[in-house]
CSV table of all heavy atoms in Angstrom, one decimal:
chain,number,residue,atom,x,y,z
T,1,MET,N,-49.9,-194.0,-75.5
T,1,MET,CA,-49.0,-194.6,-74.7
T,1,MET,C,-47.8,-195.2,-75.6
T,1,MET,O,-48.1,-195.6,-76.7
T,1,MET,CB,-49.6,-195.7,-73.9
T,1,MET,CG,-48.6,-196.4,-73.0
T,1,MET,SD,-49.2,-197.9,-72.1
T,1,MET,CE,-49.4,-199.1,-73.4
T,8,LEU,N,-30.8,-207.3,-74.4
T,8,LEU,CA,-29.4,-207.4,-74.4
T,8,LEU,C,-29.0,-208.9,-74.8
T,8,LEU,O,-29.6,-209.8,-74.2
T,8,LEU,CB,-28.8,-207.0,-73.1
T,8,LEU,CG,-29.0,-205.6,-72.6
T,8,LEU,CD1,-28.4,-205.5,-71.2
T,8,LEU,CD2,-28.5,-204.6,-73.6
T,39,GLY,N,-41.5,-197.3,-87.1
T,39,GLY,CA,-40.2,-197.9,-87.5
T,39,GLY,C,-39.1,-197.8,-86.6
T,39,GLY,O,-37.9,-197.9,-87.0
T,41,LEU,N,-36.7,-198.9,-84.3
T,41,LEU,CA,-36.0,-200.1,-83.7
T,41,LEU,C,-34.5,-199.9,-84.0
T,41,LEU,O,-34.0,-199.7,-85.1
T,41,LEU,CB,-36.5,-201.4,-84.4
T,41,LEU,CG,-36.0,-202.7,-83.9
T,41,LEU,CD1,-37.0,-203.8,-84.0
T,41,LEU,CD2,-34.7,-203.1,-84.8
T,45,GLY,N,-24.0,-202.4,-81.0
T,45,GLY,CA,-22.9,-203.1,-80.4
T,45,GLY,C,-21.7,-203.0,-81.2
T,45,GLY,O,-21.7,-202.7,-82.3
T,48,VAL,N,-19.6,-199.6,-75.7
T,48,VAL,CA,-18.4,-198.7,-75.5
T,48,VAL,C,-18.4,-198.3,-74.0
T,48,VAL,O,-17.7,-197.3,-73.7
T,48,VAL,CB,-18.5,-197.5,-76.4
T,48,VAL,CG1,-18.4,-197.9,-77.9
T,48,VAL,CG2,-19.7,-196.7,-76.2
T,52,ILE,N,-15.4,-201.8,-69.4
T,52,ILE,CA,-16.2,-202.7,-70.2
T,52,ILE,C,-16.9,-203.8,-69.4
T,52,ILE,O,-18.0,-204.3,-69.7
T,52,ILE,CB,-15.5,-203.4,-71.4
T,52,ILE,CG1,-16.3,-204.1,-72.4
T,52,ILE,CG2,-14.4,-204.3,-70.8
T,52,ILE,CD1,-17.3,-203.2,-73.1
T,68,ASN,N,-48.2,-199.9,-77.6
T,68,ASN,CA,-48.8,-200.5,-76.3
T,68,ASN,C,-48.4,-201.9,-76.2
T,68,ASN,O,-47.6,-202.5,-77.0
T,68,ASN,CB,-50.3,-200.3,-76.3
T,68,ASN,CG,-50.9,-200.9,-77.6
T,68,ASN,OD1,-50.5,-201.9,-78.1
T,68,ASN,ND2,-52.0,-200.2,-78.1
T,71,ALA,N,-49.2,-204.2,-79.1
T,71,ALA,CA,-48.3,-204.1,-80.2
T,71,ALA,C,-47.0,-204.9,-80.0
T,71,ALA,O,-46.5,-205.5,-80.9
T,71,ALA,CB,-48.0,-202.7,-80.6
T,72,LEU,N,-46.5,-204.8,-78.7
T,72,LEU,CA,-45.3,-205.6,-78.5
T,72,LEU,C,-45.6,-207.1,-78.5
T,72,LEU,O,-44.8,-207.9,-79.1
T,72,LEU,CB,-44.8,-205.3,-77.0
T,72,LEU,CG,-43.6,-206.0,-76.6
T,72,LEU,CD1,-42.4,-205.9,-77.5
T,72,LEU,CD2,-43.3,-205.7,-75.1
T,76,GLN,N,-43.6,-209.8,-81.0
T,76,GLN,CA,-43.0,-211.0,-80.5
T,76,GLN,C,-43.6,-212.3,-81.1
T,76,GLN,O,-43.0,-213.3,-81.2
T,76,GLN,CB,-43.0,-211.1,-79.0
T,76,GLN,CG,-42.4,-209.8,-78.4
T,76,GLN,CD,-41.4,-210.2,-77.3
T,76,GLN,OE1,-41.8,-210.4,-76.2
T,76,GLN,NE2,-40.1,-210.3,-77.7
T,84,VAL,N,-36.0,-214.8,-86.9
T,84,VAL,CA,-34.7,-214.2,-86.5
T,84,VAL,C,-34.2,-214.8,-85.2
T,84,VAL,O,-33.1,-215.2,-85.1
T,84,VAL,CB,-34.8,-212.7,-86.3
T,84,VAL,CG1,-33.6,-212.1,-85.7
T,84,VAL,CG2,-35.1,-212.0,-87.7
T,85,THR,N,-35.1,-214.9,-84.2
T,85,THR,CA,-34.6,-215.4,-82.9
T,85,THR,C,-34.4,-216.9,-82.9
T,85,THR,O,-33.4,-217.4,-82.4
T,85,THR,CB,-35.6,-215.1,-81.8
T,85,THR,OG1,-36.9,-215.6,-82.1
T,85,THR,CG2,-35.7,-213.6,-81.6
T,105,GLU,N,-46.8,-190.7,-68.8
T,105,GLU,CA,-47.4,-189.7,-69.6
T,105,GLU,C,-46.7,-188.4,-69.7
T,105,GLU,O,-46.7,-187.8,-70.8
T,105,GLU,CB,-48.8,-189.4,-69.0
T,105,GLU,CG,-49.7,-188.6,-69.8
T,105,GLU,CD,-51.1,-188.4,-69.3
T,105,GLU,OE1,-51.6,-189.3,-68.6
T,105,GLU,OE2,-51.7,-187.4,-69.5
T,114,PRO,N,-41.6,-187.7,-85.8
T,114,PRO,CA,-42.2,-187.2,-87.1
T,114,PRO,C,-42.4,-188.3,-88.1
T,114,PRO,O,-41.7,-189.2,-88.1
T,114,PRO,CB,-41.1,-186.2,-87.5
T,114,PRO,CG,-39.8,-186.7,-86.9
T,114,PRO,CD,-40.2,-187.3,-85.6
Side-chain angles (χ1 to χ4, degrees):
M1 177 184 76
L8 301 176
L41 181 146
V48 295
I52 192 64
N68 50 38
L72 176 61
Q76 301 227 276
V84 171
T85 57
E105 189 173 330

